[in-house]
Amino acid sequence: MKRLRGPDAPLRAWFDAQGWTPAPFQREVWRRYLAGESGLLQTPTGSGKTLAALGGPLLEALALAADATKRTAQVASTATGATGRVIDTATRRADPRRGTGRLSSTTASVSTTGTRGRTQEPDATTARARAPRIRHVPRDLSLLWITPLRALAADTLRAMRTPIEALGLDWQVGLRTGDASARDKRLAREGKLDALITTPESLSLLLSYPDTAPQLATLRCVIVDEWHELLGNKRGVLLQLALARLRALNPALRIWGVSATLGNLDEARDALLPHLPEAPTVAGVAPKVMTIDTLLPDEDERFPWGGHLGLAQLPRVLERLMAERTSLLFCNTRSQAELWHRALSAVWPEAPETLALHHGSLDPKLRGDAENGLREGSVRCVVATSSLDLGVDFPAVDQVLQIGSPKGVARLLQRAGRAKHRPGEAGHVVCVPTHALELVEYAAAREAVAQGTIESRPAPRLSLDVLAQHCVTLALGGGFTGDALLAEVRGTQAFRALDDTSWRAVLDFIVQGGQALAHYPDFRRVERDGDLYRVTDRRVALRHRLSIGTITSDGAVRVKLMRGGGLGAVEESFVGRMRPGDRFQFAGRTLELVRLEDMTAYVRVAKAGTGTVPKWNGGRMPLSSALAHEVERVFDGPRRAPEMRAIARLLDLQDHLSALPAPDRLLVEWVQARGGRHLFVFPFAGRHVHEGLAALLALRWGRRVRNSFTFAVNDYGLVLSPAQAVEIETADVAALLTPERLLEDLRESLNLAELARRQFRDIARVAGLLPPSLPGRAPRSMRQLQASSGLLFDVLRQHDPEHMLLALAEREVFAAQLEVVRLRETLEDCSRRTLDLHPMKTFTPMSFPLWAESLRGQLSTEDWRTRVQRAAAQLEKRNRG
């Protein structure tokens, strides 16, 4: 056999033993790591990213172990020759940062106890002579692996252990997440691990302990997995601050990020490595060849125009599921996943345990059972949401199905990559439309994938609530000095533009809560001694550690069986309206509420019947800009895609009654029907932008002619319905869509104070103004949290209107809720287009789903679906032929 040479020879030899060949990008990452570089690896899921990121640290550890063994042998030989016995200096661990000194505990255990992974046997006489003198020496933490999800941590641990054991490294690898065992948490705190897998929140928790700084200072490498999932939110900001602290502890620290394809890869690299503007970006394998197959309706089949969950497709979906051994069925919301799981359960031809459910509100044990079932082959299908989007390794999954529109190109690529999750395998996804117009989105997604279009994820800037939390963490973890921490914080991309005034406001906030709260002891968390900031109050320390993190949600009520374990959590607003005896569908079961106590819903499994399905706020995904623009182009282009041919008659009807959307014109329909008038505008900017745009247009229209308006939105456009009869012309619509005075009009059109009040609750929680209940006490309900945050909001507005959190709340309303940047871009885009206004007496295939959406807020003794189906049947009958 050919002898392999080079620094990566041991790892390549192991690859050869598995019948694998290292990919060029894997060897490049190993080479750059061993050369002391940091960087960002961009590669699709299933291409070998874990071994690419892990290989460098493993090769370095092998080299250090071999060097330490060589030094041990030299010391032993010298000592034996001079005195006839081995001296105790041979037990010192080699410190790779100094190049000499201490012998690693890895080498000591391998050469004396015969543990796994023996790479070099010492002379037996020497080993026996030295063995009694070996002392246990704590390990140096060398590798920190950051994962965005706790569910990924256990999977990463399994993936890491295989090469570690095969290469003969006696590494101790552990978890430090919310789901970690008490043993792993203790090992992490006591510094008895070589590699640690953790989350951004758990890393911040480690930083809050003074005794962990020396352990973290020994780090040689940090690997941030799935960086694209953290980049665009406050969890990423928290991690940026934590990485800045790790770099301060060890300036030679190497940091590598692993990311899926992004539209703003340079920004992603700069956010991860702000201190290395020229850091390399290593391109992995090309994106998988991906095919999209759509379950098309039959030619003579009536297919809904909008507002359905796709359950009419159940027979086709079941047929596809039975044609393959294992499948993932992705839904966009947890409610939809519960409904699809219930529908499939009613017709499932195999054992019930072969069908599983997986979403973020389920208990971790239930999610783990579904994941293990896939690995072991005992589960045939898992109905899932985004909780299974990321890199949990399921090599056995044969196919992926997507219910409804994926709403984004990156999301579709990620989900398609879950099938045949192996390097070199082609991606494939079966799309299941829930209504007719989603067929257009599938065709657009196929075009976008072919062109390499991908969404960007811009990173938040100046999130002062996150910064305040981080400052308290460091004050608790041994203290900090103001000037030194300011320089450290400004070294991050998120706070590069932090000015002195804002920094002083943050320090004032953590010391006394700000001007208006200075007289209340509960808001004094950090003490200042000269320029040193520290936390000395044990109660403050406990509450802060319980609240570390940036994930906020509406009040969650735990769901627990009367006889059995927990099932997960539902929102307080849902279960709070229920009475004992009411039934609901959750965790794949029909449950009966027994009692609600201390934010826990005690339930029993209902013997028969059905129940309502919980709805989770924030469940609707907006259509991404990249996919929305492609949808417009597909509407206006040739009908080559099978999806477009399948709905040709619907498209022809739209073109006959009004016009088809196109990138160069703005479609507007002015419809007088069903006892009212309705203005439909189709900018294709996504649901969030359209919500702000609808409020803006209602204000501007009401200024011209006093009136009252109701509105509804979807991803394609919006509808405004005036209460009083009014006429509108093309010039009037154009005037409403001007980008001039946007911010001023938004402030007037929206109840900005109420929006800011809602946003303030999350900000106050992150910043530490709403600490959690202490252990042993009943958790506070959402109503109590809202009351507390509302009171604080009012106090600050009245007595400290310049408080930094008030300004942040308003800024986040504009940026996050209203997406004001995209809103301005949309208005400017509308102004450039030709405005195509169509007065009409009937709804069109484009306007009908929006009109149906507007019915949701109306009072009726009929359910919404019945009214929509009747209206759709009448409309189709009228336009048939």
Side-chain angles (χ1 to χ4, degrees), residues 540-568:
V540 170
L542 176 58
R543 283 186 166 172
H544 180 75
R545 289 187 175 117
L546 288 172
S547 63
I548 282 177
T550 64
I551 300 175
T552 59
S553 62
D554 291 284
V557 173
R558 294 176 58 225
V559 179
K560 191 176 186 301
L561 292 169
M562 292 293 294
R563 296 182 179 178
L567 297 177

Side-chain angles (χ1 to χ4, degrees), residues 629 632 662-666 682-683 829-835:
H629 294 325
E632 279 191 302
D664 60 345
R665 66 172 175 264
L666 177 64
F682 298 97
D829 180 57
C830 290
S831 299
R832 288 190 293 266
R833 300 192 195 195
T834 300
L835 201 154

Side-chain angles (χ1 to χ4, degrees), residues 814-834:
F814 281 126
Q817 294 188 30
L818 302 178
E819 296 191 50
V820 70
V821 174
R822 283 190 63 195
L823 179 53
R824 183 180 295 280
E825 292 173 351
T826 298
L827 288 171
E828 292 171 349
D829 180 57
C830 290
S831 299
R832 288 190 293 266
R833 300 192 195 195
T834 300

